[in-house]
Amino acid sequence: QVQLLESGGGLVQPGGSLRLSCTASGSIEGINAMGWYRQAPGKERELVAGIPGDGTTRYLHSVTGRFTISADTAANTVYLQMNSLGAEDTAIYYCHMSLRSGGRWLGTWGQGTQVTVSS
């Protein structure tokens, strides 16, 4: 069984920074794409940043220049460095990985970590 464990969320003041981490554990044969999504109250889940299978990075327009996604593939871990946070970034953040386990490709979600930006 594969699991994604997230950490790094919390309460931060406007203008502050947080770094989220997400590590996959279990029988993992390979990882293709990695990404971070978020869902604010009353809104749909949206892609914040992603590393598609081609190794490039993609960002939601509103976070470009403030957030950075990176990965340590040897550690099955993806990070999201978030700087210059504002109230509009308040949401539950979820990581997602497209990974191979038991000979099958699976789309797997983390449990979510709350990020609250408030003074």
Side-chain angles (χ1 to χ4, degrees), residues 19-104:
R19 189 191 195 207
L20 306 183
S21 299
C22 173
T23 299
S25 63
S27 178
I28 299 167
E29 299 159 2
I31 298 176
N32 186 10
M34 299 176 167
W36 287 95
Y37 292 72
R38 69 185 180 189
Q39 187 165 18
K43 295 187 178 181
E44 294 187 354
R45 190 173 298 189
E46 62 182 357
L47 176 65
V48 176
I51 303 175
D54 60 4
T56 61
T57 56
R58 299 178 182 176
Y59 295 94
L60 181 68
H61 179 72
S62 63
V63 309
T64 299
R66 300 188 297 122
F67 290 12
T68 303
I69 188 170
S70 61
D72 181 349
T73 54
N76 297 329
T77 299
V78 61
Y79 304 97
L80 185 66
Q81 177 66 44
M82 305 185 293
N83 299 327
S84 302
L85 285 162
E88 68 277 10
D89 298 313
T90 295
I92 299 174
Y93 284 70
Y94 300 89
C95 70
H96 180 273
M97 294 189 188
S98 175
L99 51 82
R100 188 174 178 85
S101 179
R104 299 184 301 150

Side-chain angles (χ1 to χ4, degrees), residues 4-25:
L4 303 186
L5 182 61
E6 302 167 6
S7 62
L11 174 64
V12 63
Q13 292 186 342
S17 298
L18 284 174
R19 189 191 195 207
L20 306 183
S21 299
C22 173
T23 299
S25 63

